[in-house]
Amino acid sequence: MKVLLTRPEGRNQSMIEALSQRQVPFVVTPLLEVIATDDIYNEADIAAFHQADIVIFISTNAVTYAARALNNHFPDNIDYYAVGQATLLSLQALGVNAIEAPTDCQQTEGLLTLPSLQALDGQNITIVRGVGGREALAEQLAQRGAIVSYWQVYQRECPPLNHRVAYDWQQQNIDTIVITSGQILSHLMQLVPKELFAWLHACHIIVPSSRVYEQAINAGFTHVTNARAANSDAVLIALGLTA
C-alpha cells in the first residue's frame, strides 16, 4: 500500500505522523488550498455571530478563519456545535466548549439527530462555513423554527498543478488515495488525464461520508471505503490500520 494524501497544505500532518509510525509509504499532494473570503470581516456577519443563540462550525477551517476575524474572542453566552471531532478539537484548543456530532455520523446529518437541535422556535443560529457549502443543514434547522444565517469565512481553490503530477503518482505506485471532501474528488478527476483513468479507478479511495461515497461510485471507482469522518483515526481504520 502506498497512500496519496490530498488535504490542503498544513492539514496532512497527523496522517503523515501516523503513516510514518506504521512505516506505510505515502506522498503528499494538496488538491485544495484554503484562503479567507473578502467577507471575513463583514460587520453584519460578525454582529449576527455575536447575537446568535447557537453557532455551528462546519470544519476546522471555519474555526481557524473565524478565530482570525474575532481575534480569538468567542462570546461565552453562545452554544457552540462542531460537525466533527477535528472541528471540536480546534475549538477546544481555543478554550471553546462545544457539542459535536455523534461519533458514528460525523457530518451534518449526524448533527441534526442531536436532541438539543430539535425544537428551535425563534432561535438565532449562525453557521460558520466556507463558500459553496451544502444547504441541507440550514434548511432542516429553519424547518425546526430557527432563524439561520451564514458567516462564510473561507473559500477553497484548486492549486495550480500540472497534469504531469498524475503520471508521477502512477510511477510511484500510488494505490490508495485519501479524499476528505467532494471538492477534492472533483479536482482529482479534473487533474488526471483520461489515459490514466484505468490506474485511477483501480485505486482504493477513502472518503469521509456517504455523499462523497456516492460521488466516487458515480465517478467510476469500485474500491471505495467510507471512513464516516475525515479525522485521522477514522481514516486509519478505513485503511485497515489500527487508529
Side-chain angles (χ1 to χ4, degrees), residues 8 10 13 15 43 54 75 81 86 89 106 109 117 142 144 146 156-157 163 168-169 171 181 209-210 218-219:
Q13 192 57 39
M15 280 301 299
E43 293 182 2
I54 293 171
Y81 288 78
L89 294 175
Q106 295 259 295
E109 288 78 6
L117 291 179
R144 298 173 186 183
R156 311 169 193 84
E157 296 183 351
H163 292 294
D168 293 339
W169 294 336
Q171 291 168 7
S181 74
S209 67
S210 299
N218 291 336

Side-chain angles (χ1 to χ4, degrees), residues 39-195:
D39 291 332
I40 187 172
Y41 295 108
N42 182 282
E43 293 182 2
D45 291 338
I46 293 176
F49 178 95
H50 282 280
Q51 294 165 9
D53 300 297
I54 293 171
V55 169
I56 299 173
F57 288 92
I58 296 298
S59 65
T60 56
N61 286 321
V63 176
T64 299
Y65 285 91
R68 180 184 302 180
L70 297 167
N71 292 319
N72 291 340
H73 175 68
F74 292 79
D76 294 329
N77 60 333
I78 294 174
D79 292 329
Y80 295 101
Y81 288 78
V83 168
Q85 183 186 57
T87 306
L88 176 72
L89 294 175
S90 294
L91 286 166
Q92 290 177 341
L94 294 168
V96 179
N97 293 319
I99 300 168
E100 68 174 315
T103 54
D104 61 347
C105 189
Q106 295 259 295
Q107 48 193 299
T108 56
E109 288 78 6
L111 199 73
L112 286 165
T113 67
L114 293 174
S116 54
L117 291 179
Q118 301 308 307
L120 298 169
D121 286 348
Q123 295 282 294
N124 289 304
I125 298 181
T126 291
I127 298 174
V128 186
R129 67 172 192 173
V131 173
R134 298 168 62 201
E135 305 300 326
L137 178 60
E139 290 170 356
Q140 287 293 319
L141 295 173
Q143 288 177 13
R144 298 173 186 183
I147 302 164
V148 184
S149 62
Y150 287 123
W151 185 18
Q152 299 188 136
V153 295
Y154 67 95
Q155 59 193 26
R156 311 169 193 84
E157 296 183 351
C158 186
L161 294 171
N162 189 286
H163 292 294
R164 185 69 237 172
V165 71
Y167 292 95
D168 293 339
W169 294 336
Q170 183 194 38
Q171 291 168 7
Q172 292 177 77
N173 297 315
I174 294 293
D175 59 10
T176 305
I177 304 176
V178 177
I179 301 292
T180 53
S181 74
Q183 195 167 5
I184 288 178
L185 179 59
S186 295
H187 288 168
L188 176 69
M189 298 300 297
Q190 294 166 13
L191 188 63
V192 175
K194 289 184 178 179
E195 58 265 31

Side-chain angles (χ1 to χ4, degrees), residues 214-233:
E214 291 299 327
Q215 184 180 341
I217 294 298
N218 291 336
F221 293 97
T222 56
H223 189 191
V224 185
T225 299
N226 182 2
R228 302 187 183 280
N231 63 73
S232 295
D233 287 350

Side-chain angles (χ1 to χ4, degrees), residues 5 7 11-19 21-22 84-87 89 100 103 106 178 180 206-208 225-243:
L5 302 176
R7 299 189 88 161
R11 296 291 309 283
N12 293 291
Q13 192 57 39
S14 60
M15 280 301 299
I16 289 171
E17 293 172 0
L19 293 175
Q21 290 171 0
R22 293 161 176 79
Q85 183 186 57
T87 306
L89 294 175
E100 68 174 315
T103 54
Q106 295 259 295
V178 177
T180 53
I206 308 298
V207 300
T225 299
N226 182 2
R228 302 187 183 280
N231 63 73
S232 295
D233 287 350
V235 171
L236 288 170
I237 292 170
L239 288 170
L241 306 170
T242 54

